[in-house]
């Protein structure tokens, strides 16, 4: 079993064919994170809701969490990250070509 999603989900913020839905400042934060090959971003479908009063809707990473395929694809496009390739990861053509393309899309909306 892999520790990454095989493809970006239908609501992945890293997909260029999904209408931008994040606040532009959050999209910039996520896009910049992909520029660092040491960053980790879990797929929201593999995290759990933090129901505590002070969480503000944050998501919790668990042992079952997997890397986001859109994030890995953007990292591949951005800095050539390939450490998951030997495990069968294939970058998705649905991911933004660059962090700047992602930022532009979210700021334009």
């Amino acid at each position: 079993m892999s520790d990454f999603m095989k493809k970006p989900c239908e609501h992945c913020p890293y997909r260029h064919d999904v209408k931008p839905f994040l606040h532009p400042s959050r999209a910039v934060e996520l896009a910049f994170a992909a520029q660092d090959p040491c960053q980790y971003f879990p797929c929201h479908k593999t995290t759990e809701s933090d129901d505590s009063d002070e969480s503000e809707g944050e998501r919790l990473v668990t042992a079952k969490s997997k890397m986001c395929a859109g994030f890995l694809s953007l990292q591949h496009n951005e800095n050539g990250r390939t450490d998951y390739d030997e495990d069968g990861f294939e970058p998705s053509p649905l991911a933004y070509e660059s962090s700047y393309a992602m930022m532009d899309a979210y700021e334009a909306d």
Side-chain angles (χ1 to χ4, degrees):
M1 181 178 240
S2 65
D3 60 346
F4 56 85
M5 299 298 285
K6 298 288 185 196
K7 59 184 182 177
C9 71
E10 64 273 8
H11 300 293
C12 182
Y14 293 99
R15 286 179 61 155
H16 60 74
D17 65 333
V18 172
K19 182 175 173 26
F21 59 91
L22 297 174
H23 188 277
S25 64
R26 178 65 174 147
V28 166
E29 181 182 335
L30 295 181
F32 275 130
Q35 292 179 340
D36 182 349
C38 297
Q39 285 289 323
Y40 175 89
F41 186 79
C43 175
H44 68 278
K45 287 188 164 195
T46 66
T47 59
E48 294 182 7
S49 179
D50 182 354
D51 294 329
S52 66
D53 291 337
E54 45 295 321
S55 75
E56 297 182 21
E58 293 179 25
R59 305 293 298 173
L60 298 173
V61 176
T62 69
K64 295 180 182 179
S65 295
K66 295 184 175 195
M67 284 281 276
C68 171
F71 178 76
L72 283 177
S73 296
L74 182 55
Q75 278 189 320
H76 178 85
N77 295 344
E78 220 21 69
N79 56 44
R81 183 174 185 168
T82 60
D83 54 320
Y84 285 94
D85 291 1
E86 64 187 42
D87 295 329
F89 180 74
E90 295 182 23
S92 174
L94 297 175
Y96 287 100
E97 282 295 315
S98 71
S99 295
Y100 295 104
M102 181 177 173
M103 288 184 274
D104 287 346
Y106 276 89
E107 289 175 351
D109 193 55

